[in-house]
Amino acid sequence: MFYMFDGFTRRLAGPVTAEVYCPQGLRPVAPSEAPKLIFATPTKIASEAGMAEHYLGVNRVPDLQKLFQKSDGIPVHLKRGVPDKLLYRTTMALTIGGTIYCLVALYIASQPRNKK
């Protein structure tokens, strides 16, 4: 006999006669036509698109590649000058400050409480 899991009672149950011939997941015939698109975006044919759209900004990638590939002994994360140095030093200060705070909290937590 064919048994299936009943999601409502959470037990194995004997199926209805029709389900024996059409088990879970199998359906008689799938529709042959494609489903209708709900959120379709309009598309352009290549001949309608014409020339490619131009980016209005300036391409700075070649300049940045030259800057970062220059062999001057400065680490990559500091090559752009003052903003990089400020960000690096702020990160280091917060890291060291957080470490000290954690050590102080650990020291305070390790001390026994005074019973009064």
Side-chain angles (χ1 to χ4, degrees):
M1 180 170 186
F2 177 75
Y3 291 98
M4 61 184 286
F5 182 73
D6 186 7
F8 183 71
T9 61
R10 300 279 190 204
R11 295 181 180 177
L12 286 177
V16 182
T17 336
E19 291 178 354
V20 173
Y21 299 107
C22 186
Q24 281 180 317
L26 300 177
R27 299 293 171 233
V29 177
S32 60
E33 59 192 42
K36 183 179 175 185
L37 292 177
I38 298 173
F39 297 107
T41 57
T43 57
K44 294 181 182 179
I45 300 174
S47 61
E48 292 177 3
M51 294 184 61
E53 295 179 17
H54 295 288
Y55 177 66
L56 299 177
V58 179
N59 186 6
R60 300 182 317 169
V61 172
D63 298 330
L64 291 175
Q65 284 178 341
K66 288 177 187 173
L67 175 71
F68 288 124
Q69 291 175 354
K70 192 176 3 173
S71 176
D72 53 2
I74 299 174
V76 174
H77 59 275
L78 297 175
K79 284 211 178 196
R80 292 188 73 186
V82 175
D84 283 346
K85 289 180 184 174
L86 182 65
L87 182 62
Y88 176 74
R89 289 179 180 163
T90 303
T91 304
M92 285 297 111
L94 288 172
T95 303
I96 292 169
T99 303
I100 292 172
Y101 179 78
C102 287
L103 291 174
V104 168
L106 184 62
Y107 176 76
I108 290 172
S110 68
Q111 298 299 316
R113 291 186 176 209
N114 294 333
K115 294 185 179 183
K116 292 183 180 182

